[in-house]
Amino acid sequence: MSTSGVVKTIQTSGSCHCGKVEYTVSGSILGQSYCDCKACQKATGTLKVPFITVSRDSFSLTQGELSIVHGSTGVKCDNYGVWYHCPECGTNLYWAPHQGEQIDILVGTLDDVSVFNLKA
Ligand SMILES: [Zn+2]
Ligand SMILES: [Zn+2]
């Protein structure tokens, strides 16, 4: 068992900007990072996007529905996965790779962002 990389278990909730989509996350944070690839910039309108990585099983939609966006930048996060957003307000809630059982939640959509602790 590795002693580096503390796995933190969380139980928290999140939502989109308009409030039509709500979700809970219950499980372990498997990683956290910033991405500043062009796909992430276009998807969010920001320079650097903070993510936490969790198992798909940890994420539960509790209200509303999500739409999938296939980005068109042709780089990194658009090439390797798709974006899940609120069809009403367009807020991206998470990114999911084409392969694998993990998803990256956009930290800004969490109600409690203190689970993320990387310096910008
Ligand atoms: Zn919304
Ligand atoms: Zn990216």
Side-chain angles (χ1 to χ4, degrees):
M1 190 178 213
S2 171
T3 52
S4 65
V6 176
V7 175
K8 190 174 168 188
T9 301
I10 58 167
Q11 171 77 57
T12 190
S13 56
S15 66
C16 67
H17 193 183
C18 77
K20 289 231 163 68
V21 173
E22 293 180 359
Y23 66 88
T24 58
V25 185
S26 178
S28 300
I29 296 181
L30 307 173
Q32 52 179 343
S33 60
Y34 284 99
C35 190
D36 62 357
C37 82
K38 198 65 205 164
C40 286
Q41 290 178 343
K42 291 275 189 182
T44 63
T46 58
L47 285 174
K48 268 179 133 178
V49 187
F51 291 103
I52 57 167
T53 303
V54 300
S55 158
R56 279 181 201 264
D57 298 345
S58 301
F59 182 94
S60 304
L61 206 56
T62 53
Q63 179 179 290
E65 291 174 19
L66 293 173
S67 291
I68 297 176
V69 175
H70 299 264
S72 65
T73 62
V75 298
K76 201 174 165 186
C77 294
D78 281 349
N79 282 350
Y80 299 128
V82 294
W83 301 84
Y84 284 76
H85 75 168
C86 168
E88 189 73 20
C89 68
T91 303
N92 280 301
L93 299 165
Y94 67 89
W95 175 91
H98 297 309
Q99 296 179 335
E101 290 308 311
Q102 298 178 359
I103 62 170
D104 285 357
I105 295 175
L106 284 87
V107 172
T109 67
L110 292 168
D111 294 330
D112 177 10
V113 299
S114 71
V115 298
F116 187 81
N117 56 22
L118 279 185
K119 289 213 163 69

